[in-house]
Amino acid sequence: MGEFEGWSKWVEPAFLLWKPEDPDYERPVYDPEKAKFTAQEELDRMREQVNQSDGFDIDFDHFRCVFNYHRAYLDDGEFGEFGDEPETTEDFLKRLSHKSLEDYNLNEKRKFEFVRVVKSNFHFSAGLMFLITFEVIDPYDSEIKPFQARVRYLNDTFTEYVFCRPKPNAGVEYFGNAKTDVEKGFKKQRLE
């Protein structure tokens, strides 16, 4: 095992890039009613949100400062230059989510079905590290449930599907198989 193997699974610590008074400051989109904190308070809040959610759940409306974590806007073409066909950021994230879920289903012997991308954050990480929250249908109860994927991407050079998982602490049960498949598994276990 190499010295740096597994580094892409680490949660990138949040850090401040620019404050509003900095000369190179580019104003991010935020809610003026919510963004009423000092730069240090924003940094503390950003770090707390990153640490609590592994970088997936960040409320960017609270931040006037610019950090290493950024919101991906689903309806624009910020990442649409990747690949052969022009696409929206949402289309691009759908492709990454589909492949993540496909790999997860194969490895875990599950049958979750992709529904839609809900949101995504990203940071730079020898490419871009996308933290995607998306929804799936659980074939067991036909309920829509939240999933997360971490994917590192560098143009068309490589794509690393770091992990895909049910969203932790979402307050729902995940099965991933049809009710009849689960019931067969329980009966088989009882017979053994």
Side-chain angles (χ1 to χ4, degrees), residues 137-149:
I137 293 176
D138 189 332
Y140 181 82
D141 56 12
S142 299
E143 295 287 322
I144 293 176
K145 299 177 180 177
F147 250 67
Q148 297 176 327

Side-chain angles (χ1 to χ4, degrees), residues 90-181:
E90 183 176 14
D91 293 334
F92 170 68
L93 295 171
K94 261 188 222 176
R95 281 194 299 114
L96 298 180
S97 299
H98 269 280
K99 176 65 172 138
S100 293
L101 184 61
E102 183 182 300
D103 291 351
Y104 177 86
N105 282 337
L106 183 66
N107 293 334
E108 300 295 324
K109 297 177 179 49
R110 298 290 182 245
K111 299 175 184 173
F112 290 107
E113 297 173 39
F114 178 84
V115 175
R116 72 182 184 99
V117 172
V118 175
K119 63 182 176 178
S120 181
N121 303 324
F122 68 95
H123 61 80
F124 295 93
S125 176
L128 294 171
M129 184 70 76
F130 290 96
L131 304 131
I132 309 166
T133 301
F134 59 98
E135 293 177 334
V136 301
I137 293 176
D138 189 332
Y140 181 82
D141 56 12
S142 299
E143 295 287 322
I144 293 176
K145 299 177 180 177
F147 250 67
Q148 297 176 327
R150 181 179 295 168
V151 181
R152 189 166 63 106
Y153 187 85
L154 180 60
N155 288 349
D156 289 323
T157 306
F158 70 86
T159 304
E160 177 188 4
Y161 296 91
V162 179
F163 68 73
C164 182
R165 68 184 183 194
K167 182 176 180 177
N169 306 314
V172 296
E173 282 190 86
Y174 294 85
F175 297 98
N177 290 314
K179 211 175 256 191
T180 54
D181 293 342

